[in-house]
Amino acid sequence: MMKRNLSQAFVGLSAAAVVAAVTAVVPSAELKPSVNPTELAVEAISKMDVKPHDWPQWGGSSMRNNTPDGKNIPIEWDVAEGKNIKWEAALGSQTYGNAVVANGRVYVGTNNGAGHIKRYPPQVDLGCLLCFDEETGEFLWQHSSEKLPTGRVHDWPLQGICCAPYADGKRLWYVTSRGEVVCLDAEGFYDGENDGPFTAEINENKDEADVIWKFDMMNELQVSQHNMCSCSVTCAGDILLVNTSNGLDESHINLPSPDAPSFMALDRNTGKVLWTDKSPGMNILHGQWSSPAYAVLGGQPQAIFAGGDGWVYSFDPKGDGNGNSKMLWKFDCNPKTSIWKLGGRGTRNNVIATPVVYDGLVYVAVGQDPEHEEGLGHLWCIDPTKRGNVSEELAVDAQGKEIPHVRLQAVNEANGEKAVPNPNSAAVWHYARFDWDGDGEIADFMEEMHRSCGTVAIKDDLLYIADFSGLFHCLDAKTGKVNWTYDMLSPAWGSPLIVEGRVYIGDEAGDISIFPVTADPADAMQEVDGELVPKFGVINMEESVYSTPIVANDVLFITNKSKLYAIAPEK
C-alpha cells in the first residue's frame, strides 16, 4: 500500500488541525438528503428490458450518477493471489472503456491486444467492443473497428474503443472509433440469425458481432473527430443522444468541418437522424469527447451535452419538430478572462467529463486531453430550470454592450472588455480553490481543483470527484463547501463508484482507494505512523486503472489496462 504523508494530504496540517478546519465548513445540522440516487437508478433500470440489478449504461441511468445498489461488495481482494476474484478476462493492451452489464453479458471497449478472434491477430490494431458472459467471464463475441486510413488525425493508434455502450433488451448501441453509431444484436450470431437491415457482415462466426444498423457520421455529416471518436450514448425513450466528437485537425488550430454537428439525436430503432446541432461552431478548442445526460428537470425533458468550447448545453430531446434542435439553456464553464493556449498552457478548458443530474441540479467539471497535463480546473453546480444564456458571467465591451463568445479568450481586458455578473445566472455554486490553511492565499497544490477527465458521483448530498492531478475531493453537493481532499499521488482518469456506504476510485498507478461515504475526514481516513490513508485501504490492480469501477448484481467490476476483473466474496 502506498501511504500518504500528512503534508501531501492536507497542506501540512496536523491530523487534529485537519479535523478542526473541516469541521468549520461542514454544516452543523445533519439534514436528511431529499433524494436517493440509487433508488432512482433502480427505478429507471426497471423500465428497461434488463435485469433489475444490471448496470446497462455508463452511469447506470441517463442521470449518469454511478451509485448502484449492491450487497457484500468486497473491500478486500488480491488480483495476484486470486482472493475474491470471481473471474478475470483478457482485454487489449490499453483499456479506457467503462464496463456495462445487461442480461447476463458484460461489455467493455478496448483495443485488439488480446487477439480474441482468428482473423484479427493481436498485432492488428483495432477498436474492439468485447462481450463476455457475466457469470463465467467466457468471451462471447467482438465488434471490430478497423483503423481509419487517416491515422492519428482521426483514429489514434492503440486507443481502441474509449466509450461504453447502451444496452436494452436484445440490442445495444455505441460509437465506434471510426465515427460510426452502430446498433448491435446482443445475442450476436448465437441466435443463428443475421439480423438487419444491415446484413453485410464479412462473416457470421459466433465470435463476431451482428450489426443491426450503422450510421457513419464522417460520411453522412462530414464530422471530423480529433484523434478519436468517443461518446457513451444514452436514450430519452427511443431517442438516441450522441456527441459527434467533431474537432480540430492535426495542426490543433484549424477546424476542418465547422458546419458539422457536435450534438445529434437518432431514432434508436432505425438510425434515422432526428435533429443535429452545431452550437460550439468555430469555438471548438480541441476535441469533443464528453457524453450526454438526460433527465426531466423542472417538468421539462432535457438532453444535456457538454461541448468542446467549454459550454454545457441543454436541448429538448424531441427537437423543434422540424428536424432542428431546440435549445433550452447554455452555460459557460470557464471564467471569461481565461485563455486557450496550445498544449494545455492556458487557463481555458473544454469538458471531457459527463454532466451528472442529482436532485434537480446538474454537475460538471472542466478538463483537457490528459496529454496536456495539469492545470487549474472548475467544478460547477447548475440550476437547469432557467433558460437562455445562464452563465455566471457575461462578456461586455468597453461601452457595456454584450459581445459574442470568442474562442481563445472571451474577455480581453486590454481592449477594455470585462466580465460582469449575469442576472440570469444558473450557477448554484462553483469550486476552483479553497483556502485550507486560512492564510488568505491560494498558494498550495492542495488548495486547488485541477483539470478533470472524471465525472462526479453523489450520494447523501456528498459529492466526490477525482482530478487529473491525483486529488480526490469530497464536497457538499448542495453548497459546494469542501469537506476534505486527499492526494492519491497519481493522476486519475476515471470516476468514483459509490456503493454500500463506500466510495471507490482508481488511478494511473493502479491503486483503488476505498473510503467510507462521509463528510468527516476523521472517518474517511486514518492516521498510520503519521500518515493518512483511506479508512478501507488501497488495493493495487497491478496495472493502471483508466476506467471507472461499477457494480452489477452484487459483483464489483474493475478494468485495468489489460484485464477485466469480476470481484465478489468467495463462496
Side-chain angles (χ1 to χ4, degrees):
M1 178 188 298
M2 184 181 293
K3 296 183 179 180
R4 281 70 177 163
N5 187 276
L6 284 170
S7 63
Q8 296 165 327
F10 281 100
V11 202
L13 301 180
S14 67
V18 168
V19 174
V22 174
T23 301
V25 299
V26 175
S28 58
E30 290 293 334
L31 300 177
K32 184 178 180 180
S34 57
V35 64
N36 186 328
T38 301
E39 291 180 355
L40 293 177
V42 170
E43 180 184 1
I45 291 168
S46 73
K47 297 175 182 178
M48 301 172 63
D49 186 9
V50 296
K51 295 191 294 184
H53 305 290
D54 284 348
W55 207 240
Q57 61 176 305
W58 162 229
S61 78
S62 61
M63 292 177 285
R64 304 301 205 179
N65 197 2
N66 192 29
T67 59
D69 63 336
K71 295 180 181 179
N72 300 317
I73 306 304
I75 57 173
E76 295 182 0
W77 67 87
D78 191 308
V79 297
E81 297 181 359
K83 178 181 179 180
N84 286 337
I85 303 299
K86 183 177 181 180
W87 53 259
E88 65 180 65
L91 303 178
S93 60
Q94 296 184 39
T95 301
Y96 302 95
N98 293 302
V100 302
V101 179
N103 294 323
R105 301 177 182 90
V106 185
Y107 305 98
V108 63
T110 183
N111 67 21
N112 193 44
H116 278 292
I117 60 178
K118 185 175 181 179
R119 71 185 179 100
Y120 288 125
Q123 61 266 29
V124 177
D125 192 10
L126 301 170
C128 298
L129 181 73
L130 304 182
C131 175
F132 299 95
D133 182 275
E134 180 186 357
E135 183 61 30
T136 66
E138 176 189 1
F139 168 73
L140 298 177
W141 55 257
Q142 169 178 308
H143 183 256
S144 307
S145 296
E146 295 185 350
K147 304 300 283 186
L148 291 168
T150 46
R152 62 184 58 203
V153 176
H154 294 126
D155 197 357
W156 198 270
L158 298 177
Q159 299 304 289
I161 301 300
C162 298
C163 61
Y166 177 100
D168 192 8
K170 295 183 179 180
R171 299 288 182 263
L172 68 148
W173 298 259
Y174 88 104
V175 177
T176 77
S177 50
R178 295 178 61 88
E180 302 163 324
V181 184
V182 296
C183 174
L184 303 179
D185 180 0
E187 296 180 333
F189 289 116
Y190 283 82
D191 60 4
E193 299 178 2
N194 187 343
D195 296 282
F198 185 91
T199 57
E201 289 89 348
I202 293 177
N203 61 58
E204 298 180 8
N205 295 338
K206 287 185 177 181
D207 59 0
E208 303 214 36
D210 181 4
V211 179
I212 306 299
W213 58 257
K214 67 167 61 177
F215 181 86
D216 190 329
M217 295 186 289
M218 296 188 74
N219 288 332
E220 298 292 335
L221 299 174
Q222 288 69 58
V223 168
S224 178
Q225 66 259 22
H226 181 81
N227 293 160
M228 69 181 67
C229 200
S230 179
C231 165
S232 297
V233 299
T234 192
C235 286
D238 284 340
I239 301 172
L240 187 70
L241 303 171
V242 183
N243 184 319
T244 70
S245 297
N246 192 46
L248 306 185
D249 64 13
E250 65 272 26
S251 72
H252 293 83
I253 297 173
N254 299 318
L255 182 65
S257 298
D259 292 325
S262 293
F263 321 127
M264 62 186 297
L266 301 174
D267 183 317
R268 76 178 202 173
N269 299 307
T270 65
K272 176 184 177 182
V273 176
L274 302 177
W275 56 262
T276 64
D277 185 273
K278 60 175 183 178
S279 289
M282 294 297 297
N283 292 321
I284 296 172
L285 299 169
H286 188 209
Q288 299 191 102
W289 304 293
S290 180
S291 301
Y294 165 74
V296 178
L297 298 164
Q300 168 67 55
Q302 299 195 31
I304 302 168
F305 288 88
D309 54 353
W311 290 63
V312 175
Y313 298 86
S314 175
F315 302 91
D316 188 318
K318 294 182 179 179
D320 68 353
N322 297 308
N324 304 306
S325 62
K326 181 181 178 181
M327 186 187 297
L328 301 172
W329 54 265
K330 59 181 180 179
F331 185 95
D332 188 356
C333 295
N334 285 290
K336 295 297 184 183
T337 55
S338 62
I339 186 168
W340 176 263
K341 294 182 180 180
L342 293 178
R345 294 178 291 111
T347 53
R348 193 161 189 81
N349 297 294
N350 47 6
V351 181
I352 298 176
T354 303
V356 167
V357 176
Y358 174 81
D359 201 9
L361 299 172
V362 175
Y363 298 81
V364 69
V366 301
Q368 291 194 31
D369 182 333
E371 289 192 348
H372 291 181
E373 299 183 343
E374 301 175 20
L376 180 64
H378 302 273
L379 173 62
W380 294 94
C381 174
I382 304 167
D383 176 1
T385 63
K386 296 198 173 186
R387 298 292 179 263
N389 182 350
V390 299
S391 304
E392 185 177 51
E393 300 174 322
L394 298 175
V396 299
D397 61 18
Q399 288 72 45
K401 181 180 178 181
E402 187 174 351
I403 54 179
H405 181 63
V406 179
R407 175 177 176 265
L408 297 181
Q409 188 174 25
V411 165
N412 187 340
E413 293 176 312
N415 295 336
E417 299 168 352
K418 59 183 179 180
V420 299
N422 179 5
N424 190 41
S425 172
V428 178
W429 56 259
H430 168 216
Y431 171 47
R433 296 179 171 92
F434 183 75
D435 185 10
W436 269 111
D437 54 16
D439 65 355
E441 298 181 359
I442 303 295
D444 194 282
F445 169 79
M446 292 289 294
E447 296 184 304
E448 292 184 339
M449 172 72 197
H450 301 270
R451 294 170 181 160
S452 179
C453 303
T455 295
V456 304
I458 310 172
K459 194 165 186 181
D460 297 339
D461 288 349
L462 295 177
L463 179 152
Y464 297 91
I465 186 171
D467 67 32
F468 193 68
S469 295
L471 300 186
F472 191 53
H473 307 264
C474 172
L475 289 78
D476 185 296
K478 296 300 179 66
T479 67
K481 293 292 181 99
V482 182
N483 295 321
W484 49 266
T485 298
Y486 177 75
D487 191 355
M488 298 185 291
L489 302 182
S490 180
W493 296 55
S495 307
L497 159 71
I498 300 175
V499 65
E500 211 174 12
R502 297 184 289 270
V503 56
Y504 299 67
I505 181 68
D507 63 35
E508 193 172 43
D511 288 336
I512 302 291
S513 297
I514 311 172
F515 304 84
V517 174
T518 178
D520 188 343
D523 290 336
M525 290 159 278
Q526 58 184 333
E527 187 173 0
V528 178
D529 298 329
E531 299 172 338
L532 285 177
V533 297
K535 181 62 67 72
F536 295 123
V538 178
I539 299 175
N540 190 264
M541 302 298 295
E542 295 190 331
E543 292 182 326
S544 297
V545 175
Y546 294 121
S547 57
T548 298
I550 69 161
V551 163
N553 301 304
D554 298 332
V555 176
L556 172 66
F557 293 91
I558 299 178
T559 59
N560 64 14
K561 278 182 65 175
S562 66
K563 291 181 179 178
L564 168 63
Y565 293 92
I567 303 169
E570 296 173 347
K571 296 181 179 180

